[in-house]
Amino acid sequence: MEDKRNIPIIEWEHLDKRKFYVLGICMTMMIRILRTEGTAGLYRGFLVNTFTLISGQCYVTTYELTRKYVARYNNNNAVKSLVAGGSASLVAQSITVPIDVVSQHLMMQRKGESMGRFKVRNQDGKRLLVFGQTKDIIVQIFKADGFRGFYRGYVASLLTYIPNSAVWWPFYHFYAEQLSGLTPKDCPHLLLQAISGPLAAATASTLTNPMDVIRARVQVEGKSSIVLTFRQLMAEEGPWGLTKGLSARIISATPSTIVIVVGYETLKKLSLRPELVDSRHW
């Protein structure tokens, strides 16, 4: 347990693991439904992304277990958060990159036309159903690039999301602790955490946006080299190209980050071991 912190951190050993996983899966599903962009989102990428439920559980498990492991050698919260956040992202990205590749191509489909490399085929003039579209895109990717096609942009994703995750967690706890010192003692911790999440996301997004721009180009345009993609981007758009989508990324991430933070912190409190539930410490 962290010493002398205004906002205590619920660690892995404080959790009832059965509650944590059962409630976690339910909350993850709810969050993904809330993040879907209307009914159309159900048909362009959402169903594929539902399979990332397992990656979400792997992420939080890796994060919590890594924090526990690092605490044996260094109990500094920033160090634990940094290492655990990066490790959790490595595990999660190894699972989600193939899903992300397929999902991005599905979302690119517009009335039978494709802005990307692949095009969903029609059958007798009719659009394929959702799972038919997914299967069609998977087959096309495999025929064109083999198994490696599903990991196109994997290195770029790691270079984007590992730093993002590694930076987000320390800043999240930092902002929460700073806010707790500026607000009345009876201010709900969950409110401070809900504010800290978007602040940490904005910080992490600003630092990692250049790599995210390159990652998106690698995956969607079928590039094979991060260096060549970077050079092409510099030649076409200059340094400003690396800031593309930053403001939109921060704005769009704010609502979902609040939902995720509130959901995750609530999940941990609901999953406290029975003997800790009545403790005023939390």
Side-chain angles (χ1 to χ4, degrees), residues 3-275:
D3 295 326
K4 300 179 181 179
R5 292 187 63 86
N6 294 325
I7 300 182
I9 298 175
I10 300 175
E11 302 285 7
W12 182 252
E13 58 268 22
H14 302 138
L15 300 173
D16 180 321
K17 308 308 185 294
R18 185 177 62 179
K19 286 183 181 179
F20 183 71
Y21 284 115
V22 172
L23 293 174
I25 292 174
C26 295
M27 283 190 174
T28 303
M29 281 298 296
M30 290 177 63
I31 289 172
R32 291 197 176 280
I33 291 172
L34 290 173
R35 293 179 66 183
T36 302
E37 299 179 357
T39 305
L42 293 171
Y43 294 91
R44 294 193 178 97
F46 174 75
L47 288 179
V48 175
N49 285 323
T50 57
F51 292 103
T52 60
L53 279 174
I54 187 173
S55 74
Q57 295 303 309
C58 288
Y59 180 92
V60 296
T61 300
T62 303
Y63 176 77
E64 296 294 346
L65 287 175
T66 303
R67 279 184 62 90
K68 181 179 179 181
Y69 178 79
V70 174
R72 299 176 184 174
Y73 305 96
N74 191 319
N75 203 41
N76 181 277
N77 183 63
V79 174
K80 291 192 293 184
S81 299
L82 181 73
V83 177
S87 301
S89 185
L90 172 62
V91 172
Q93 286 305 305
S94 298
I95 299 172
T96 60
V97 165
I99 299 171
D100 192 36
V101 169
V102 175
S103 180
Q104 286 195 34
H105 283 294
L106 283 173
M107 289 187 288
M108 296 290 285
Q109 305 304 310
R110 293 294 184 274
K111 297 181 180 179
E113 299 178 357
S114 176
M115 297 169 61
R117 298 171 62 208
F118 306 109
K119 178 179 178 180
V120 173
R121 300 183 180 88
N122 295 339
Q123 289 184 345
D124 300 324
K126 297 181 179 180
R127 298 279 291 174
L128 290 173
L129 295 177
V130 179
F131 290 112
Q133 293 180 9
T134 303
K135 179 181 177 181
D136 193 37
I137 289 294
I138 291 174
V139 170
Q140 290 185 55
I141 293 174
F142 186 77
K143 285 184 177 180
D145 303 317
F147 183 75
R148 291 180 59 185
F150 296 101
Y151 277 90
R152 186 175 295 280
Y154 177 63
V155 174
S157 291
L158 294 183
L159 293 177
T160 300
Y161 292 115
I162 288 181
N164 187 286
S165 181
V167 168
W168 188 89
W169 284 101
F171 273 106
Y172 166 63
H173 291 301
F174 170 78
Y175 287 132
E177 196 64 16
Q178 295 304 308
L179 288 173
S180 70
L182 300 173
T183 54
K185 291 184 178 180
D186 58 350
C187 183
H189 290 170
L190 193 59
L191 175 60
L192 301 180
Q193 291 164 330
I195 297 173
S196 301
L199 290 176
T203 303
S205 294
T206 301
L207 295 175
T208 61
N209 194 73
M211 203 59 232
D212 191 54
V213 172
I214 296 173
R215 175 195 62 81
R217 280 204 170 199
V218 169
Q219 287 186 333
V220 175
E221 298 180 10
K223 306 291 184 181
S224 58
S225 171
I226 295 175
V227 175
L228 292 179
T229 301
F230 173 74
R231 289 178 179 174
Q232 182 181 357
L233 180 63
M234 289 295 95
E236 294 177 355
E237 303 181 42
W240 286 107
L242 297 175
T243 65
K244 182 181 295 184
L246 176 59
S247 58
R249 185 180 174 193
I250 293 175
I251 293 172
S252 64
T254 298
S256 60
T257 301
I258 293 174
V259 172
I260 291 171
V261 168
V262 171
Y264 186 63
E265 294 297 344
T266 301
L267 168 65
K268 291 177 77 174
K269 288 182 179 179
L270 291 175
S271 302
L272 279 170
R273 285 161 42 196
E275 63 269 25

